[in-house]
């Protein structure tokens, strides 16, 4: 699960990571903004930061006024900068061209920066352990640095039993070319960041930039933290960090119905049971020249209401031009599924082509239900043939 920068920083601060002082503003009335600005009255400069679940805000611009999503401004200009962000659309390299509406603005003290670095902690699947990635060239996109200056990047595996060792953290401090005092502080912050990574059950902590300040301290100017939602049992408090505005409404509805749904860019909606089969189904659609509109795993024990909910959700996507249902009946019986599909298709007055491939428990009873429904559903047993058919239907071609 993704959280906002201000939330990420507050979690990191509680783990002993130094961050700039800041307040998140959620109300754009002049009174609310002025009361926050009053807290900063001793500051000459402040940083105004749009809060969206996407990076690249500093270079990104608002569609309505061309201003940037992160602005270092003098205090007397802060109010205008804040108002220029609220409820406007910020387009960055990571938001796509549609951009994201800003509903929260984070105001922080401005830090006098001497050097910018990059630090992240994540799990490397190939190495099967956490890794620390660091670069002496922070601030910009790490992907660009990897291309233009790969020598400035260190990737360091971390032994999960030993944690990040001080000598490893010192190696990073040398990469950053810090003096003795700043090295000590940097080592402590890196170790605290790793501790935070473990204790928070994070799947990613990315600090870009981690900075050396003019007065020789180390501070996290930006923070991206991804929390592992499988750990919600240990951290029920994370639910309060969720921002429903940042999610696709279809994904929110799917989560409520206990469905694993991810919206994609294509036009063939998929309804499958089992994550592996869902992946294979998307692959075979792609193989025959189609593009999947979603990943949808209804799970092994899906109930009829869930099938109907799944149907409603996939049809909310205006790009969908056809539906492909691929079910391996086991605990989820094919006849139950067929009844769910027929009910849903009737209630939404389905007009799109729908190809169904079913195998397994009660498949014969299921076929009878589909046939008796007199809906224009296309049952096909062979997976390749079924995939080819839906791709062709969507393209409007002959079979
Ligand atoms: P991002 O563009 O979404 O990654 O947002 P960041 O929080 O990283 O801010 C973008 C850039 O603004 C940073 O890389 C810094 O160069 C700059 N910036 C942010 N806060 C400060 C600050 O307090 N002082 C200075 N001098 N620069 C800042
Ligand atoms: Mn950043």
């Amino acid at each position: 699960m993704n959280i906002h920068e201000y939330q990420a920083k507050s979690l990191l601060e509680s783990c002993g990571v130094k961050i700039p002082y800041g307040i998140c503003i959620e109300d754009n009335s002049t009174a609310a903004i002025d009361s926050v600005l009053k807290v900063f009255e001793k500051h000459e400069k402040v940083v105004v930061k749009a809060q969206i679940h996407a990076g690249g805000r500093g270079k990104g611009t608002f569609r309505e006024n061309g201003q940037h999503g992160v602005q270092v401004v003098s205090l007397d200009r802060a109010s205008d900068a804040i108002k220029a962000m609220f409820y406007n659309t910020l387009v960055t390299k990571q938001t796509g061209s549609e951009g994201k509406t800003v509903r929260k603005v984070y105001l922080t003290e401005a830090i006098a920066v001497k050097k910018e670095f990059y630090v992240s902690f994540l799990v490397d699947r190939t190495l099967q352990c956490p890794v620390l990635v660091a670069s002496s060239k922070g601030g910009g996109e790490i992907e660009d640095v990897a291309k233009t200056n790969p020598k400035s990047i260190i990737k360091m595996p971390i032994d999960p039993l030993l944690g990040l060792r001080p000598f490893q953290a010192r190696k990073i401090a040398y990469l950053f070319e810090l003096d003795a005092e700043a090295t000590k502080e940097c080592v402590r912050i890196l170790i605290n960041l790793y501790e935070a990574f473990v204790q928070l059950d994070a799947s990613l902590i990315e600090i870009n930039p981690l900075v050396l300040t003019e007065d020789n301290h180390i501070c996290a100017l930006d923070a991206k933290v991804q929390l592992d939602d499988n750990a919600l049992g240990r951290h029920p408090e994370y639910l309060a960090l969720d921002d429903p505005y940042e999610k696709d409404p279809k994904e929110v509805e799917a989560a409520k119905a206990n469905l694993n749904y991810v919206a994609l860019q294509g036009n063939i909606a998929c309804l499958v049971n089992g994550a592996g089969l869902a992946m294979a189904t998307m692959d075979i659609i792609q193989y025959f020249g189609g593009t999947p509109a979603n990943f949808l795993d209804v799970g092994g024990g899906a109930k009829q209401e869930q099938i109907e909910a799944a149907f409603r959700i996939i049809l909310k996507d205006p790009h969908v031009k056809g539906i492909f249902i691929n079910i391996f009946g086991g605990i989820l019986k094919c006849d139950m599924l067929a009844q769910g599909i027929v009910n849903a298709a009737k209630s939404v007055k389905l007009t799109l082509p729908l190809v169904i491939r079913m195998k397994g428990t009660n498949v014969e009873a299921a076929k009878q239900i589909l046939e008796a429904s007199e809906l224009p559903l296309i049952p096909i047993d062979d997976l390749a043939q079924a995939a080819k058919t839906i791709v062709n239907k969507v393209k409007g071609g002959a079979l």
Side-chain angles (χ1 to χ4, degrees):
M1 97 181 238
N2 290 313
I3 57 175
H4 286 295
E5 174 200 1
Y6 78 95
Q7 298 166 321
K9 280 184 170 165
S10 135
L11 289 175
L12 294 179
E13 187 177 35
S14 66
C15 297
V17 178
K18 192 168 180 298
I19 59 160
Y21 176 75
I23 297 177
C24 183
I25 308 170
E26 306 192 22
D27 172 353
N28 73 332
S29 68
T30 305
I33 293 172
D34 286 349
S35 75
V36 172
L37 287 174
K38 193 141 179 44
V39 180
F40 287 82
E41 65 188 356
K42 296 220 164 62
H43 294 259
E44 221 170 278
K45 279 185 165 183
V46 290
V47 190
V48 182
K49 311 186 83 174
Q51 298 297 288
I52 53 170
H53 285 187
R57 297 162 301 164
K59 293 207 175 78
T61 52
F62 281 94
R63 184 171 298 143
E64 292 81 0
N65 52 39
Q67 295 196 23
H68 292 290
V70 173
Q71 298 177 37
V72 184
V73 294
S74 58
L75 189 64
D76 57 328
R77 293 214 35 245
S79 183
D80 288 344
I82 294 165
K83 286 178 182 158
M85 293 188 183
F86 262 104
Y87 302 110
N88 282 335
T89 312
L90 180 57
V91 181
T92 81
K93 243 182 162 173
Q94 293 183 14
T95 61
S97 55
E98 70 271 26
K100 285 200 153 180
T101 308
V102 174
R103 291 183 170 82
K104 295 177 179 188
V105 176
Y106 190 37
L107 189 69
T108 73
E109 61 176 317
I111 302 291
V113 174
K114 206 164 171 186
K115 276 194 203 163
E116 294 188 314
F117 314 116
Y118 174 95
V119 172
S120 66
F121 292 86
L122 64 161
V123 175
D124 187 299
R125 282 169 195 271
T126 319
L127 297 174
Q128 300 189 351
C129 69
V131 293
L132 190 177
V133 179
S135 169
S136 51
K137 305 263 177 280
E141 304 232 350
I142 191 68
E143 291 82 359
D144 295 342
V145 180
K147 276 184 214 136
T148 56
N149 203 336
K151 284 214 180 84
S152 75
I153 301 181
I154 287 186
K155 183 173 159 185
M156 191 180 271
I158 301 168
D159 186 317
L161 294 178
L162 300 175
L164 183 72
R165 314 298 312 277
F167 81 87
Q168 292 183 297
R170 273 198 297 277
K171 200 166 162 190
I172 304 299
Y174 296 148
L175 173 78
F176 294 168
E177 298 178 339
L178 303 171
D179 69 13
E181 278 305 304
T183 295
K184 247 192 248 167
E185 200 171 307
C186 182
V187 166
R188 205 183 59 236
I189 286 192
L190 290 174
I191 290 174
N192 288 352
L193 278 170
Y194 178 70
E195 290 282 309
F197 179 74
V198 175
Q199 267 163 31
L200 297 172
D201 283 308
S203 45
L204 172 75
I205 291 184
E206 184 182 57
I207 310 297
N208 188 21
L210 180 77
V211 299
L212 175 69
T213 64
E214 283 291 351
D215 53 1
N216 211 40
H217 289 289
I218 305 290
C219 176
L221 273 209
D222 189 11
K224 175 176 177 177
V225 170
Q226 273 169 0
L227 301 167
D228 183 348
D229 26 351
N230 291 308
L232 270 172
R234 276 204 287 261
H235 303 280
E237 71 279 10
Y238 287 173
L239 279 178
L241 302 178
D242 200 29
D243 184 347
Y245 284 115
E246 289 290 333
K247 291 192 191 150
D248 184 323
K250 297 193 291 300
E251 291 181 10
V252 175
E253 194 181 340
K256 270 192 211 143
N258 243 325
L259 301 162
N260 295 314
Y261 171 89
V262 181
L264 299 167
Q265 320 296 324
N267 57 11
I268 300 178
C270 308
L271 191 160
V272 188
N273 67 326
L277 190 60
M279 302 290 266
T281 305
M282 296 187 336
D283 281 349
I284 201 163
I285 288 173
Q286 200 97 33
Y287 179 79
F288 287 116
T291 49
N294 64 274
F295 168 94
L296 173 56
D297 164 20
V298 299
K303 305 210 170 54
Q304 205 155 306
E305 305 80 64
Q306 276 176 291
I307 303 293
E308 291 181 36
F311 225 82
R312 275 200 312 275
I313 292 163
I314 56 185
L315 287 174
K316 275 196 184 147
D317 179 348
H319 303 295
V320 167
K321 297 282 178 288
I323 303 171
F324 184 27
I325 298 181
N326 187 12
I327 297 292
F328 186 77
I331 301 167
L332 172 64
K333 296 186 179 62
C334 293
D335 53 339
M336 203 279 298
L337 172 95
Q339 196 57 57
I341 294 168
V342 168
N343 292 353
K346 281 188 175 159
S347 76
V348 300
K349 300 194 174 53
L350 181 74
T351 52
L352 299 174
L354 192 165
V355 170
I356 306 179
R357 185 231 178 205
M358 280 188 298
K359 291 262 184 202
T361 314
N362 296 357
V363 68
E364 290 310 320
K367 283 183 180 159
Q368 279 167 19
I369 292 170
L370 295 180
E371 215 163 289
S373 75
E374 294 181 346
L375 286 164
L377 314 172
I378 312 165
I380 298 177
D381 283 345
D382 181 71
L383 177 55
Q385 195 55 41
K388 248 191 249 174
T389 306
I390 191 64
V391 170
N392 279 322
K393 285 272 176 197
V394 163
K395 286 189 174 161
L399 296 185

